[in-house]
Amino acid sequence: QMAPGRTLNVQGVLDARGTPAAPIIITSLQANFTPRYIGCFYESDPTQSSNHDLSGPFLTNASSTMSSCLQYCYDQGFPYAGVRAAQYCLCGRTYGQLSSAQGDSQCYYQCSGNSTQKCGGPYSSSVWATGAGLWNQVAIGG
């Protein structure tokens, strides 16, 4: 018997049984998530302002790609990633706080590390869902 709120890490098969009075809730990280493009959103300059749409950590990387930014933000546990001005990788827990979607015509810069990818614009970020923090829950019993 485990105390409420305790975490059990399992690799392989888990046989768990619950009752209507004491259901077991199994929470697992969603597997096989494919990053999804959300849209182009206004973003302030991360080096000049503290008011950002994607307000988590950011990287300045002259060889950035959308893929490397997605991986960085995912590894940091952020559900959203965006690239602004072809060189700034920004992470966040929310997006769209500074504006609604602008349309892809405002995110026309080519990524400095991969010219086939679009990496935002001078005042906008190409925003993607990374898949971080997406969980499945299953109740057994109850």
Side-chain angles (χ1 to χ4, degrees), residues 16-33:
R17 301 167 198 263
T19 67
I24 296 171
I25 298 176
I26 298 173
T27 303
S28 64
L29 187 60
Q30 205 176 68
N32 300 322
F33 179 83

Side-chain angles (χ1 to χ4, degrees), residues 12-134:
V13 177
L14 171 66
D15 182 14
R17 301 167 198 263
T19 67
I24 296 171
I25 298 176
I26 298 173
T27 303
S28 64
L29 187 60
Q30 205 176 68
N32 300 322
F33 179 83
T34 301
R36 176 178 54 86
Y37 179 68
I38 296 171
C40 180
F41 291 83
Y42 172 78
E43 182 62 75
S44 58
D45 184 337
T47 64
Q48 301 294 319
S49 170
S50 61
N51 184 27
H52 305 293
D53 193 32
L54 295 167
S55 59
F58 75 92
L59 291 175
T60 301
N61 187 343
S63 63
S64 66
T65 64
M66 198 63 240
S67 303
S68 63
C69 182
L70 280 163
Q71 188 64 55
Y72 172 75
C73 293
Y74 178 87
D75 291 347
Q76 301 294 314
F78 285 88
Y80 303 106
V83 176
R84 179 188 171 276
Q87 64 178 339
Y88 299 109
C89 171
L90 302 107
C91 306
R93 301 209 185 284
T94 61
Y95 67 91
Q97 305 302 305
L98 299 179
S99 75
S100 56
Q102 298 188 63
D104 291 338
S105 65
Q106 298 299 309
C107 287
Y108 55 88
Y109 281 19
Q110 296 174 338
C111 294
S112 56
N114 182 342
S115 63
T116 66
Q117 297 176 335
K118 298 297 181 198
C119 282
Y123 300 102
S124 55
S125 290
S126 299
V127 177
W128 290 70
T130 68
L134 297 178

